[in-house]
C-alpha cells in the first residue's frame, strides 16, 4: 500500500473543515473572548495557590492549603515530570478552548469510522453527528472539561482496538497505546471506566464471532496485543495513575470506617460512595424520549420561553422552570438528534453482524444503567454497585449515556453505508425504510395527538413553586411545557419525514448518492446545532480577563488579607455558598469544590464544620469567618482559634472511627487530643506535664513545606492544625526523620522531646518519583516501538510495490 498526496488530500481538507467548524461554533474565541464555565471558575479558585507557587518558584507543589483545609493536588491539574504523552495531547488541542475539545470530538470519531472502512464523506458526517450531540456541547458550556476530554478520545481508543482485530497488529497496538495514553491523560476515570464497559461488550461480541468462525487464536492474539498496549499506556501516565490510586483510598471515593451519618442515622457500609449519592442523578425512564425530542421533558431546569409564553403574559417572566423530570438539576436534554435516531432505527433493519450487536449492546447497557434507582430497572444498578468492581466509586449514573451517544451515531452512519451498497435488495431497503418511518414518525404522531392523555406535565418541584408563587404560576408553567413539547415533537416529526423522504428519493433513483450525503449532512447540522445553540452560544462568552480572574476581593477578603499569618478561613456568606472556591482564591479555606476531597476531612465537615461547631472550627485554626450581616459581607475574627500548633496534656485513646468523630464535639482540644489506638502501641504515653512557657511557633510556610520552632522543658505531644495525609509527608526534628500520627480524626500530631527543636514537614511524595521514572522508561520504549513500526510498514509497502 502506497501513500500519495492525492489520497491524503481529502482527509486534510476534512480536518481543515473540522477546525473551521469548531472555530465557527465558538467564534467569540477569535475575538479573544473565553467561555464562562462555572466548574472552571471553581477550579481556578481551588488551584490558584499551586499555580502562584509554581510561578514564583518554578517548582510544582503536590499539596495545597487553599481548600478543604489542605489536600493533594493530584486531581487539581498537577503536572508531573516526563509526562510526554501530555505534550502530545497539548499538540492535538491546538485550537483555543473550548473549540479544541470540539475538534477532538470530530477528529477522533472520524478516525474511528475510517478504521471501520467508511467512506471519508460519510465519516465526516458521522463525526458531525457525534461532535454536536447536545450533551457533548453542554458539558463544554458548564465546564466539565476533563469529562469532554475523556469522551473525545473514546473513539480513538476504539479505533486502535478495532484495527488490532482487523489483523493489523502493529498499527493497532501503537494506536491503542497512544489513544489509551491520551485517554488516561484526560484524568476522568469515570468516563474511562465507562469506556471499559463498552470494550467488554465489544470483546464479548468479537469472541462469539471468533468462536463461530473458528478464529479463536487470532482473537486471543489480538487481546494479547491490546493488553500490552494498555499496560504501556498506563506506564506513560504512571505518575498520575499511581498518585490517584494511592489518593483515592483516602478520598471520598474510598471506604469509610464510619457506621453512622452526620444526622445520626445508620450509614451503609460500602467500599465506595453511598448508594443514594451514586444514584442521585438517575435518568427518568420516560425521559429517554429526550434523546429523540429535545424538550420532551421541558429541556433544562429553566428555559427561555419568550414573550408569547403564558409565564410572560401572566407573570412578566421570559424564564420558566419548564423541566418536569425527576433529576435534581438538568442543564439541557441529552438530545442525540431526530435525524440520527431515524438512521439508527433504519440501521437496525439493514446492518447485520458483530458491529451491530456490540453497538446495540453498548447502547442498551448504558441506557439501562443510566436509569439508576428508577424502577423497574433499579436492580441492574444495584447489581453493578454491589458486585462490579469500581462501579461504586462514581456518581451521577445518568452520565453513562455517553456510551450510547457514541454508539448510536456509528450505527446510524452504517445505515447510509448499507443504503449505498448492494448488500441488500432494494425491496428490503424500502421495507426497512417503511418500518423506520412508522416507528419514529409514528411515535412523534402519537405524542402530538395524545400528549394530554399520556402526560400531566407536572414536575417534581411544582409543590415548591406552588408554595412560593401560587397555583396560577404553576398552571402557566404547565401550559408552556405543553407548548414547547408540541413544538419540539412537531420538529422531530418533520425531520424524520425529511430524512425518510431523502432515502425514498434515493431508492427511487430521483437523487444521486452525493446529494443524499449533502442533504443528510445539512439535516444533521441543522438538527443538532439548532438545539445546541439554545444552551451554548455566543452569550456565554465574556472577556478572557473575567475568566482568568473570576473573583474580586470584597471588604471582608481585603480585611483578612492584611493578616500575614498562617490560618484558615470559613466562608458561610451567600456569595461564598454560591462560589465555594472564592475563599480558596484568596485564603487558606475550609471550603472547596471537588468531587474527591479527603474522606476524613469531608466527614468532619459534615458532622461539625457545616453546622458551625466552634470547637471544631478552633481545632482547624479557623481564625476568620466570613458571613453576611445587615451591612453586607463581613469578616469575624475568631480569637479562640487554636493556632498552628499547640502542646496537649492528655492523649485519649479511641478504638473506632465512630467513637473518635463523636468525641470531637465535647473534646477540650486545646488540652486534649484523640488518638486511634489501632495506629499506635498499646502502652503509649497518655499524660504530659504541660509547661506554661512551652511554645511551638510556625516560622516558615509554603504549600508543601512547614517549619516550626519548639521550646519545652518537658517531653511533650504537639497537635498541628494541618490535615493528615499519610502518604508523602516527611517529618524531621532537627534534621532527623521521625514519624507523625493522625489525631483528632483528621489532624497531625507527634511527640517532641524536651528542649529547643526545629520541626519540619515537607511533602515529597515517593509515588511521583516512582511514577516519573516509569513514565520516562515507557516513553522511551514507545518511541522505539514507533520507529520499529514505521520501519516495518515501510518494508511491507516496499515489498508489496515490488
Amino acid at each position: 500500500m502506497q501513500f500519495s498526496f492525492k489520497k491524503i488530500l481529502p482527509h486534510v481538507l476534512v480536518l481543515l473543515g473540522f477546525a473551521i467548524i469548531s472555530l465557527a461554533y465558538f467564534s467569540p474565541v477569535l475575538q479573544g473572548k473565553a467561555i464562562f464555565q462555572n466548574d472552571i471558575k471553581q477550579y481556578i479558585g481551588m488551584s490558584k495557590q499551586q499555580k502562584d507557587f509554581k510561578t514564583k518558584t518554578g517548582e510544582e507543589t503536590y499539596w495545597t492549603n487553599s481548600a478543604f483545609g489542605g489536600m493533594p493536588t493530584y486531581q487539581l491539574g498537577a503536572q508531573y515530570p516526563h509526562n510526554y504523552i501530555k505534550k502530545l495531547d497539548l499538540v492535538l488541542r491546538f485550537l483555543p478552548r473550548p473549540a479544541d475539545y470540539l475538534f477532538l470530538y470530530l477528529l477522533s470519531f472520524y478516525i474511528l469510522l475510517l478504521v471501520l472502512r467508511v467512506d471519508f464523506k460519510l465519516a465526516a458526517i458521522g463525526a458531525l453527528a457525534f461532535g454536536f450531540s447536545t450533551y457533548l456541547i453542554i458539558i463544554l458550556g458548564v465546564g466539565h472539561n476533563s469529562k469532554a476530554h475523556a469522551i473525545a478520545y473514546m473513539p480513538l481508543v476504539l479505533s486502535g482496538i478495532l484495527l488490532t482485530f482487523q489483523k493489523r497488529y502493529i498499527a493497532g497496538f501503537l494506536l491503542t497505546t497512544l489513544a489509551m495514553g491520551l485517554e488516561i491523560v484526560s484524568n476522568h476515570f469515570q468516563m474511562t471506566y465507562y469506556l471499559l464497559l463498552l470494550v467488554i461488550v465489544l470483546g464479548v461480541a468479537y469472541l462469539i464471532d471468533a468462536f463461530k468462525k473458528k478464529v479463536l487464536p487470532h482473537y486471543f492474539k489480538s487481546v494479547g496485543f491490546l493488553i500490552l498496549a494498555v499496560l504501556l499506556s498506563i506506564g506513560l501516565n504512571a505518575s498520575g495513575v499511581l498518585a490517584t490510586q494511592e489518593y483515592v483510598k483516602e478520598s471520598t471515593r474510598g471506604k469509610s470506617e464510619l457506621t453512622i451519618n452526620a444526622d445520626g442515622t445508620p450509614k451503609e457500609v460500602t467500599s465506595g460512595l453511598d448508594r443514594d449519592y451514586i444514584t442521585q442523578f438517575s435518568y427518568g425512564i420516560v425521559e429517554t424520549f429526550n434523546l429523540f425530542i429535545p424538550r420532551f421533558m421541558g429541556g433544562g431546569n429553566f428555559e427561555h420561553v419568550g414573550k408569547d409564553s403564558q409565564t410572560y403574559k401572566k407573570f412578566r417572566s421570559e424564564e420558566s422552570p419548564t423541566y418536569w423530570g425527576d433529576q435534581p438539576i438538568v442543564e439541557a436534554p441529552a438530545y442525540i438528534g431526530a435525524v440520527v435516531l431515524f438512521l439508527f432505527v433504519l440501521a437496525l433493519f439493514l446492518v447485520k453482524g458483530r458491529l451491530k450487536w456490540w453497538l446495540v449492546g453498548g447502547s442498551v447497557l448504558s441506557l439501562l444503567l443510566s436509569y439508576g434507582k428508577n424502577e423497574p430497572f433499579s436492580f441492574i444498578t444495584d447489581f453493578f454497585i454491589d458486585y462490579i468492581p469500581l462501579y461504586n466509586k462514581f456518581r451521577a449514573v445518568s452520565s453513562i449515556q455517553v456510551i450510547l451517544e457514541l454508539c448510536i451515531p456509528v450505527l446510524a452512519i452504517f445505515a447510509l453505508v448499507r443504503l449505498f451498497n448492494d448488500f441488500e435488495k432494494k425491496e428490503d431497503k424500502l421495507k426497512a425504510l417503511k418500518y423506520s418511518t412508522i416507528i419514529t414518525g409514528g411515535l412523534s404522531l402519537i405524542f402530538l395527538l395524545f400528549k394530554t392523555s399520556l402526560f400531566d406535565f407536572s414536575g417534581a418541584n411544582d409543590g415548591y413553586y406552588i408554595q412560593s408563587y401560587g397555583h396560577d404560576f404553576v398552571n402557566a408553567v404547565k401550559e408552556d411545557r405543553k407548548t414547547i413539547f408540541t413544538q419540539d415533537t412537531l420538529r422531530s416529526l418533520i425531520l424524520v419525514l425529511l430524512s425518510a423522504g431523502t432515502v425514498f428519493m434515493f431508492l427511487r433513483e430521483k437523487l444521486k448518492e452525493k446529494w443524499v450525503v449533502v442533504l443528510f449532512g445539512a439535516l444533521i447540522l441543522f438538527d443538532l446545532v439548532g438545539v445546541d445553540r439554545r444552551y451554548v452560544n455566543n452569550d456565554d462568552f465574556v472577556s478572557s480577563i473575567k475568566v482568568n480572574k473570576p473573583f474580586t476581593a470584597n471588604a471582608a477578603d481585603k480585611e483578612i488579607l492584611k493578616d500575614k499569618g498562617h490560618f484558615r478561613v470559613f466562608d458561610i456568606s451567600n456569595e461564598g455558598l454560591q462560589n465555594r472556591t472564592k475563599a480558596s482564591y484568596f485564603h487558606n479555606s475550609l471550603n472547596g469544590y471537588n468531587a474527591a476531597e479527603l474522606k476524613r476531612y469531608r466527614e468532619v465537615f459534615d458532622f461539625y464544620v457545616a453546622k458551625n461547631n466552634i470547637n471544631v472550627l478552633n481545632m482547624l485554626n479557623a481564625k476568620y469567618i466570613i458571613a453576611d450581616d445587615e451591612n453586607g459581607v463581613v469578616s469575624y475574627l475568631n480569637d479562640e482559634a487554636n493556632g498552628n500548633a499547640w502542646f496537649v496534656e492528655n492523649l485519649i485513646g479511641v478504638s473506632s472511627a465512630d467513637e473518635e468523630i463523636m468525641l470531637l464535639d465535647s473534646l477540650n482540644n486545646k488540652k486534649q487530643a484523640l488518638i486511634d489506638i489501632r495506629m499506635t502501641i498499646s502502652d503509649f504515653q497518655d499524660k504530659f506535664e504541660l509547661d506554661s512557657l512551652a511554645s511551638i511557633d510556625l516560622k516558615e510556610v509554603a504549600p508543601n513545606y512547614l517549619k516550626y520552632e519548639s521550646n519545652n522543658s518537658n517531653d511533650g505531644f504537639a497537635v498541628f492544625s494541618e490535615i493528615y495525609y499519610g502518604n508523602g509527608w516527611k517529618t524531621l526534628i532537627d534534621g532527623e526523620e521521625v514519624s507523625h500520627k493522625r489525631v483528632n480524626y483528621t489532624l497531625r500530631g507527634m511527640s517532641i522531646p524536651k528542649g529547643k527543636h526545629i520541626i519540619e514537614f515537607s511533602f515529597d511524595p515517593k509515588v511521583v518519583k516512582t511514577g516519573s521514572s516509569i513514565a520516562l522508561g515507557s516513553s522511551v520504549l514507545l518511541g522505539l516501538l514507533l520507529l520499529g513500526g514505521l520501519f516495518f510498514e515501510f518494508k511491507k509497502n516496499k515489498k508489496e510495490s515490488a
Side-chain angles (χ1 to χ4, degrees):
M1 183 174 124
Q2 291 184 330
F3 293 99
S4 67
F5 180 74
K6 188 175 180 180
K7 289 182 179 180
I8 296 173
L9 182 60
H11 304 302
V12 172
L13 293 175
V14 168
L15 298 186
L16 180 61
F18 287 164
I20 292 171
I21 289 170
S22 301
L23 290 171
Y25 189 90
F26 296 113
S27 58
V29 299
L30 299 174
Q31 303 166 12
K33 293 184 178 181
I35 192 168
F36 179 82
Q37 302 167 300
N38 184 63
D39 276 29
I40 299 305
K41 176 182 179 181
Q42 306 304 329
Y43 163 75
I44 290 172
M46 287 272 289
S47 61
K48 184 176 185 293
Q49 185 180 91
Q50 71 196 72
K51 290 180 178 177
D52 288 348
F53 180 80
K54 187 168 187 176
T55 299
K56 181 180 178 180
T57 66
E59 300 175 8
E60 186 78 22
T61 175
Y62 298 105
W63 185 269
T64 180
N65 292 311
S66 65
F68 298 122
M71 64 182 290
T73 63
Y74 304 145
Q75 300 302 309
L76 293 174
Q79 301 295 314
Y80 304 106
H82 305 305
N83 192 6
Y84 301 112
I85 191 71
K86 178 67 177 178
K87 297 183 186 301
L88 174 61
D89 170 62
L90 294 174
V91 170
L92 293 173
R93 291 192 293 118
F94 63 94
L95 293 178
R97 187 171 295 176
D100 57 342
Y101 291 122
L102 178 54
F103 178 79
L104 274 189
Y105 290 160
L106 302 174
L107 170 66
S108 187
F109 201 84
Y110 180 70
I111 293 173
L112 172 60
L113 290 179
L114 291 180
V115 167
L116 287 168
R117 300 186 176 94
V118 174
D119 177 75
F120 79 94
K121 296 184 291 294
L122 290 180
I125 293 175
L128 296 175
F130 173 70
F132 284 105
S133 183
T134 302
Y135 182 78
L136 271 60
I137 297 297
I138 287 300
I139 58 178
L140 295 178
V142 298
H144 295 173
N145 289 358
S146 61
K147 179 185 288 187
H149 201 172
I151 294 169
Y153 284 127
M154 285 181 178
L156 199 62
V157 174
L158 293 175
S159 301
I161 293 171
L162 293 170
L163 207 57
T164 307
F165 279 121
Q166 291 171 7
K167 297 186 178 181
R168 297 187 62 186
Y169 300 114
I170 294 176
F173 167 80
L174 293 173
L175 181 56
T176 302
T177 302
L178 287 170
M180 195 64 205
L182 291 166
E183 173 71 26
I184 297 171
V185 160
S186 68
N187 197 35
H188 200 296
F189 293 102
Q190 183 171 1
M191 293 299 106
T192 304
Y193 181 83
Y194 291 160
L195 173 62
L196 172 63
L197 295 181
L198 176 61
V199 170
I200 290 172
V201 173
L202 184 155
V204 171
Y206 270 71
L207 176 60
I208 294 171
D209 186 70
F211 178 77
K212 289 180 178 179
K213 295 176 179 177
K214 299 181 180 180
V215 290
L216 285 175
H218 155 63
Y219 175 85
F220 288 111
K221 180 179 180 181
S222 299
V223 170
F225 271 99
L226 293 173
I227 290 173
L228 291 174
V230 171
L231 291 174
L232 184 53
S233 71
I234 293 172
L236 296 172
N237 291 277
S239 296
V241 171
L242 293 176
T244 299
Q245 182 185 39
E246 181 182 83
Y247 175 66
V248 73
K249 299 172 186 176
E250 307 301 325
S251 78
T252 50
R253 304 302 173 102
K255 183 178 181 179
S256 173
E257 294 185 58
L258 293 178
T259 63
I260 52 174
N261 291 306
D263 60 4
T265 58
K267 180 183 179 70
E268 180 185 13
V269 179
T270 173
S271 60
L273 300 171
D274 292 336
R275 191 179 305 266
D276 290 342
Y277 187 57
I278 293 171
T279 59
Q280 182 183 14
F281 288 86
S282 294
Y283 202 72
I285 295 173
V286 177
E287 208 166 350
T288 303
F289 295 108
N290 270 345
L291 302 172
F292 176 57
I293 299 169
R295 292 185 293 186
F296 185 90
M297 300 291 293
N301 280 90
F302 285 85
E303 291 274 336
H304 182 83
V305 290
K307 293 184 178 181
D308 293 331
S309 66
Q310 293 300 311
T311 305
Y312 182 81
K313 290 176 180 177
K314 295 181 179 180
F315 296 92
R316 290 299 186 227
S317 174
E318 294 188 51
E319 298 290 324
S320 180
T322 53
Y323 175 70
W324 50 285
D326 296 327
Q327 296 186 76
I329 300 173
V330 175
E331 293 290 340
Y335 181 60
I336 291 177
V339 178
V340 172
L341 274 169
F342 166 79
L343 290 174
F344 174 77
V345 175
L346 181 63
L348 294 178
F349 296 102
L350 294 179
V351 179
K352 297 176 176 62
R354 62 191 181 189
L355 173 72
K356 173 182 175 179
W357 295 118
W358 74 260
L359 290 171
V360 171
S363 299
V364 171
L365 177 65
S366 68
L367 186 61
L368 293 177
L369 286 172
S370 74
Y371 292 147
K373 62 186 176 184
N374 290 316
E375 299 294 346
F377 302 109
S378 61
F379 73 95
I380 300 174
T381 292
D382 287 337
F383 175 82
F384 270 70
I385 291 173
D386 293 333
Y387 300 108
I388 303 302
L390 302 179
Y391 193 79
N392 63 1
K393 303 293 184 183
F394 308 114
R395 61 187 287 269
V397 294
S398 61
S399 63
I400 198 174
Q401 285 196 0
V402 298
I403 297 304
L404 65 86
E405 286 154 3
L406 189 162
C407 293
I408 287 176
V410 175
L411 197 56
I413 290 301
F414 270 88
L416 295 177
V417 172
R418 301 288 288 201
L419 186 68
F420 295 152
N421 63 33
D422 298 324
F423 293 157
E424 305 291 335
K425 296 178 181 178
K426 182 180 288 188
E427 293 77 14
D428 293 332
K429 294 176 183 178
L430 283 168
K431 188 182 293 185
L433 173 62
K434 181 177 72 173
Y435 292 150
S436 304
T437 307
I438 290 172
I439 291 170
T440 53
L443 195 62
S444 302
L445 200 57
I446 289 170
F447 288 143
L448 275 175
L449 296 175
F450 303 106
K451 59 179 179 287
T452 53
S453 300
L454 294 170
F455 312 110
D456 63 4
F457 296 92
S458 296
N461 295 321
D462 284 358
Y464 164 78
Y465 295 124
I466 289 172
Q467 287 184 346
S468 302
Y469 308 109
H471 284 279
D472 288 345
F473 176 78
V474 171
N475 289 335
V477 170
K478 284 184 178 180
E479 290 302 315
D480 291 335
R481 289 169 180 166
K482 293 176 188 177
T483 299
I484 61 177
F485 177 95
T486 302
Q487 291 171 347
D488 277 10
T489 304
L490 183 60
R491 180 184 187 275
S492 289
L493 176 59
I494 291 171
L495 287 167
V496 165
L497 294 177
L498 288 172
S499 301
T502 301
V503 174
F504 181 77
M505 294 288 283
F506 171 76
L507 292 174
R508 290 300 183 189
E509 300 181 1
K510 301 294 184 181
L511 274 178
K512 293 185 177 180
E513 180 179 317
K514 65 178 181 180
W515 291 113
V516 175
V517 173
V518 171
L519 284 172
F520 269 108
L523 283 171
I524 287 170
L525 276 178
F526 172 82
D527 183 11
L528 292 174
V529 174
V531 175
D532 294 343
R533 297 295 285 183
R534 296 174 182 175
Y535 303 101
V536 182
N537 51 56
N538 292 1
D539 294 338
D540 297 308
F541 285 80
V542 297
S543 69
S544 57
I545 294 175
K546 186 175 180 180
V547 170
N548 296 328
K549 296 182 178 180
F551 300 110
T552 302
N554 56 35
D557 295 316
K558 291 176 182 177
E559 187 63 29
I560 296 171
L561 288 170
K562 294 176 182 178
D563 189 333
K564 303 303 180 183
H566 183 64
F567 50 83
R568 293 192 179 86
V569 173
F570 184 38
D571 190 348
I572 56 174
S573 67
N574 287 329
E575 183 183 13
L577 293 175
Q578 292 173 8
N579 298 286
R580 285 181 278 168
T581 67
K582 180 178 182 292
S584 300
Y585 191 80
F586 297 106
H587 319 290
N588 293 326
S589 175
L590 295 180
N591 306 79
Y593 184 88
N594 191 275
E597 70 261 40
L598 285 167
K599 173 177 71 264
R600 281 183 166 263
Y601 176 80
R602 169 46 60 183
E603 289 166 347
V604 169
F605 192 98
D606 291 342
F607 271 75
Y608 298 112
V609 177
K611 300 173 184 177
N612 303 331
N613 184 296
I614 195 63
N615 194 42
V616 173
L617 289 173
N618 290 341
M619 177 187 85
L620 294 169
N621 194 21
K623 188 176 180 180
Y624 292 96
I625 298 172
I626 299 176
D628 298 305
D629 72 0
E630 62 275 7
N631 298 317
V633 181
V634 296
S635 64
Y636 293 97
L637 173 65
N638 175 23
D639 54 14
E640 294 296 318
N642 289 16
N644 297 304
W646 59 96
F647 286 105
V648 295
E649 295 178 352
N650 300 104
L651 285 180
I652 301 173
V654 294
S655 57
S656 71
D658 289 352
E659 180 185 8
E660 188 172 6
I661 201 166
M662 295 304 293
L663 284 175
L664 285 178
D665 186 32
S666 58
L667 180 73
N668 181 358
N669 54 48
K670 288 181 171 64
K671 295 184 178 181
Q672 300 171 319
L674 304 174
I675 188 165
D676 193 330
I677 59 175
R678 297 171 298 174
M679 296 176 58
T680 187
I681 56 175
S682 57
D683 58 344
F684 66 91
Q685 183 179 350
D686 61 351
K687 295 184 183 299
F688 298 90
E689 187 176 346
L690 192 59
D691 183 348
S692 60
L693 298 177
S695 63
I696 180 165
D697 301 313
L698 181 63
K699 295 298 183 182
E700 190 175 337
V701 61
N704 56 0
Y705 179 76
L706 297 153
K707 180 179 179 180
Y708 303 83
E709 287 186 5
S710 72
N711 189 1
N712 194 350
S713 58
N714 305 302
D715 291 340
F717 191 93
V719 175
F720 300 83
S721 58
E722 302 296 328
I723 302 301
Y724 178 87
Y725 180 66
N727 304 305
W729 279 104
K730 185 165 68 172
T731 316
L732 302 174
I733 295 182
D734 298 332
E736 293 187 12
E737 188 168 353
V738 295
S739 64
H740 67 278
K741 301 185 182 302
R742 189 189 70 234
V743 297
N744 293 357
Y745 203 80
T746 192
L747 297 185
R748 306 174 202 171
M750 62 186 297
S751 297
I752 300 176
K754 63 183 177 180
K756 294 181 179 180
H757 300 284
I758 299 294
I759 301 107
E760 296 171 281
F761 288 92
S762 61
F763 193 63
D764 188 20
K766 183 180 178 181
V767 69
V768 172
K769 295 179 179 178
T770 302
S772 297
S773 298
I774 295 173
L776 176 59
S778 299
S779 298
V780 171
L781 177 59
L782 177 60
L784 294 173
L785 290 172
L786 283 169
L787 290 174
L790 290 172
F791 178 75
F792 177 83
E793 288 293 326
F794 174 77
K795 294 283 287 185
K796 180 181 176 183
N797 291 336
K798 188 175 180 180
K799 184 178 179 180
E800 289 177 352
S801 61

